[in-house]
Amino acid sequence: MAIRNIREIGDSVLTKVSREIKEVDKRLLVLIDDMLDTLYDAEGVGLAAPQIGVLKRLVVIDVSEEGNDPIILINPEIIATDGCQIGDEGCLSVPGKVGTVERPNYVKVKAYDKNMKEFTIEGTELLARALCHEIDHLNGVLYVDKVTDELRDVVYLEEEDEE
Ligand code: NI
């Protein structure tokens, strides 16, 4: 278990296409644990392996409020989408920023679990958005390239109080 350093925008690793995972070995299991530790430490919703500098097609997501319902996706692939949602998106690799991105409101994803068993997962709203965002990372795509207006600074309540 370890918290890994999150790579930030400008780091070339974030623009590269990640490689398919062929087998789950001990090293990959450690990587999965570290990614979950890193995700929870950063209080994020999702994290893709390239964000910690590993060009493998691996994603972890947790959209639960308690942060105790991790979804682990190996070689995920979007196989169906439906509808449209327009909303704000952020990324642990782009700290302090937020921007409006259009995403499907429903996605169905095919992936492999820790036993390399194929499964599908369906998501709407936040989960659909997270699935699209994280799978984009595996293809070297950041949400900042899909923002429909302009990237904005995250405004914290404390800052408003100071004014
Ligand atoms: Ni991201």
Side-chain angles (χ1 to χ4, degrees):
M1 299 222 322
I3 293 160
R4 306 262 193 122
N5 185 37
I6 297 177
R7 305 296 184 93
E8 295 185 2
I9 186 165
D11 190 319
S12 65
V13 78
L14 293 173
T15 63
K16 292 186 173 143
V17 177
S18 292
R19 288 180 299 274
E20 201 175 305
I21 291 165
K22 302 273 191 234
E23 61 164 346
V24 177
D25 54 14
K26 262 190 178 168
R27 272 187 70 189
L28 195 86
L29 291 173
V30 170
L31 178 63
I32 291 168
D33 281 347
D34 287 358
M35 280 179 61
L36 287 170
D37 289 344
T38 306
L39 176 70
Y40 291 131
D41 178 68
E43 296 179 355
V45 166
L47 187 72
Q51 290 184 273
I52 55 162
V54 179
L55 287 169
K56 290 185 174 170
R57 301 190 81 80
L58 171 65
V59 159
V60 295
I61 291 173
D62 193 332
V63 293
S64 70
E65 265 176 48
E66 303 79 16
N68 58 6
D69 191 15
I71 300 165
I72 295 151
L73 302 163
I74 294 171
N75 301 335
E77 212 180 302
I78 293 172
I79 54 171
T81 65
D82 192 32
C84 170
Q85 58 172 318
I86 294 164
D88 280 350
E89 207 161 299
C91 178
L92 294 175
S93 294
V94 191
K97 298 284 180 183
V98 68
T100 307
V101 183
E102 192 179 316
R103 300 282 191 187
N105 198 45
Y106 162 89
V107 299
K108 186 174 186 180
V109 168
K110 182 187 93 168
Y112 295 85
D113 67 12
K114 285 200 266 190
N115 303 308
M116 283 309 260
K117 206 172 157 235
E118 192 182 307
F119 69 101
T120 58
I121 180 169
E122 294 173 293
T124 60
E125 296 171 28
L126 178 60
L127 179 54
R129 181 175 290 283
L131 287 164
C132 293
H133 177 115
E134 299 311 329
I135 292 170
D136 272 354
H137 273 300
L138 303 182
N139 296 318
V141 175
L142 295 178
Y143 85 96
V144 298
D145 298 325
K146 298 188 164 180
V147 166
T148 52
D149 48 1
E150 265 178 35
L151 218 52
R152 310 182 313 270
D153 290 326
V154 174
V155 179
Y156 296 99
L157 288 173
E158 295 92 61
E159 287 178 11
E160 282 176 359
D161 289 341
E162 282 165 16
E163 281 171 7

